[in-house]
Every structure is written in structure tokens, then in C-alpha cells.
Amino acid sequence: MQMNWQARSQWVLKWVLPAATSLIIGCVLYGTLQWAAGQTDMVAEARQRDLVKLIVSKMQASVAHDQESATVWDDAVRKTDARDLEWLRSNLGEWMQTYFGHDAAIVISADHGRIYEFIAPSDNALTLGDLRLAYEPLADALQKRLAAGDAEGVTDRVLSIGESDLTYVGRRPAIVSVKPIVSDTGDIEQPPGQQNLHVAVRFLDRSFVSEIGADYQFAENAVFG
């Protein structure tokens, strides 16, 4: 019996204990690697989300810059005041969609009355009511700044103040930007806060992801996941 017990003890020490130890170490290493992989995924996802925020911020600045190609212009002031809808269509409406890819453009008066509107054809239903809910707070804020003579942020590149936000138009995420229609020469007198306004809308849905995904190499779920 004594020899049998000793033999078993030696067998346990020689084979079972090292195997068990190796198994435990292996499990710990596996768990550590799994945890590390999970942390890596979290870091990668966080980086993607930060990248999306940066891209959207640049897109906001880009949309506002696009608008100024036609909103800071004596002709735009005159043609808007004259309610020349054909000119507005060609310069502040459909042209913005053709050249810059904007999905909607609305020209409104100081009292928010609609002078002109353009909505690009889409499979997703969009109403003027949806647009109004999205742009009215921005228009109100901009008119207050204009009335106060606020020029903060105006530079050689940023020609006029504006208000922009990432919001929802209906159920679709979008950049909504509002800019005043102002004289480029300063020769046209405009009462502060009474300028007509131009609204631009750029949707950030699947088409947006497909356009920038290849360039910035982030996964769709970074935005929609």
C-alpha cells in the first residue's frame, strides 16, 4: 500500500500537476488575450467615432463655405428682394445640389416666410414642416446675432456669420446650416437682423457613409451601429 501511494504521488507530481498548471496558465493567457482584444476593439471603435465627429465638423464648415459662394453677393441680395425665383433656382437652389451635393435649400425672409425652396428627389419622404423644425431655431439665433452686429468668427475665409447644427430632419440625421444673404461690396444697405436667410441641408445617411468610407476607412457601425 505504501509503495502504491508513493507511486501515485510521484505520478501526480510528475504528470498531473504540471498539466494542471499549464492548463491554468493557458486559461489565464487566453482570458488575458480575449480581454486585450476586446479593449483593442473598444479603442478602435472610439477612434472611429472621434474620426466621425471630426469629419462631421469639417462637413459643417464645408457646407457653410459652399453657401457663401452665392450668399455673399450683391446680386443675391437684389434678386432675393425682387423674388426672382428663376434666379434663385439657378444660384441658391438646384445649383447647390448639382455642384455641392446639398439635399435641400430654402430661402426665407426675416419673418421666416419662405421665398424659395428646393428639395432633391429622394426615396425618403421629407416635408417642409420637417425642414422648418430643423432650421427655425438656427434662424432665430442667427437673426439675433445679426441684429446685435455680431461678427465673431468672420475672417478672410469665413465671409459671414452663420449658425449650423447636426440635427434630425424628419428621421434623418443632417447638417443644417443657415447663412445671411448679404452684400459683398457693402454698397447695399441692409438693416441689421432684417437680412434674408439661406438654409442648406446635407443628409448624413448611407450615401454620406459610402462617400467618405473609402477615404477615411471606418466601419458603418461607427456611425449607425
Side-chain angles (χ1 to χ4, degrees):
M1 278 294 286
Q2 184 69 17
M3 290 295 294
N4 190 32
W5 182 85
Q6 289 179 346
R8 287 182 178 179
S9 296
Q10 290 177 355
W11 182 79
V12 168
L13 291 173
K14 185 175 181 179
W15 299 106
V16 176
L17 186 58
T21 302
S22 297
L23 179 62
I24 292 171
I25 293 173
C27 288
V28 171
L29 287 174
Y30 177 78
T32 302
L33 289 173
Q34 288 293 97
W35 177 85
Q39 292 297 106
T40 300
D41 289 343
M42 290 173 62
V43 170
E45 183 176 349
R47 285 177 178 172
Q48 287 185 344
R49 291 187 181 277
D50 288 343
L51 179 57
V52 168
K53 290 179 182 178
L54 175 62
I55 294 168
V56 169
S57 176
K58 288 185 176 181
M59 282 290 295
Q60 284 183 271
S62 177
V63 169
H65 184 66
D66 295 344
Q67 289 174 277
E68 288 183 340
S69 66
T71 58
V72 184
W73 190 8
D74 285 359
D75 282 356
V77 176
R78 295 190 183 100
K79 296 295 185 179
T80 304
D81 286 343
R83 304 301 192 259
D84 188 335
L85 299 184
E86 184 61 25
W87 190 95
L88 295 177
R89 181 189 67 78
S90 298
N91 293 276
L92 292 173
E94 290 186 29
W95 180 79
M96 290 284 187
Q97 198 275 331
T98 302
Y99 198 78
F100 298 120
H102 296 183
D103 296 288
I106 307 97
V107 178
I108 60 176
S109 60
D111 62 0
H112 293 197
R114 284 194 303 274
I115 299 171
Y116 168 84
E117 67 270 344
F118 166 77
I119 302 174
S122 172
D123 293 335
N124 297 291
L126 178 64
T127 68
L128 290 171
D130 293 332
L131 288 166
R132 179 183 286 274
L133 287 174
Y135 71 68
E136 276 204 334
L138 299 175
D140 284 336
L142 179 56
Q143 283 180 310
K144 289 177 181 178
R145 292 180 63 195
L146 290 167
D150 184 359
E152 183 177 354
V154 175
T155 65
D156 291 341
R157 178 174 172 79
V158 180
L159 305 179
S160 63
I161 65 172
E163 290 290 330
S164 177
D165 195 15
L166 175 61
T167 185
Y168 278 87
V169 178
R171 296 184 177 181
R172 301 172 68 186
I175 290 170
V176 178
S177 178
V178 184
K179 282 281 189 177
I181 299 174
V182 295
S183 169
D184 60 318
T185 64
D187 293 340
I188 301 176
E189 186 176 348
Q190 296 175 277
Q194 295 302 306
Q195 294 92 337
N196 296 310
L197 305 178
H198 182 267
V199 181
V201 177
R202 176 68 165 91
F203 288 116
L204 305 185
D205 50 17
R206 301 291 175 179
S207 62
F208 171 78
V209 173
S210 66
E211 287 178 18
I212 65 175
D215 292 335
Y216 291 92
Q217 297 182 348
F218 61 86
E220 277 195 13
N221 61 10
V223 184
F224 300 104

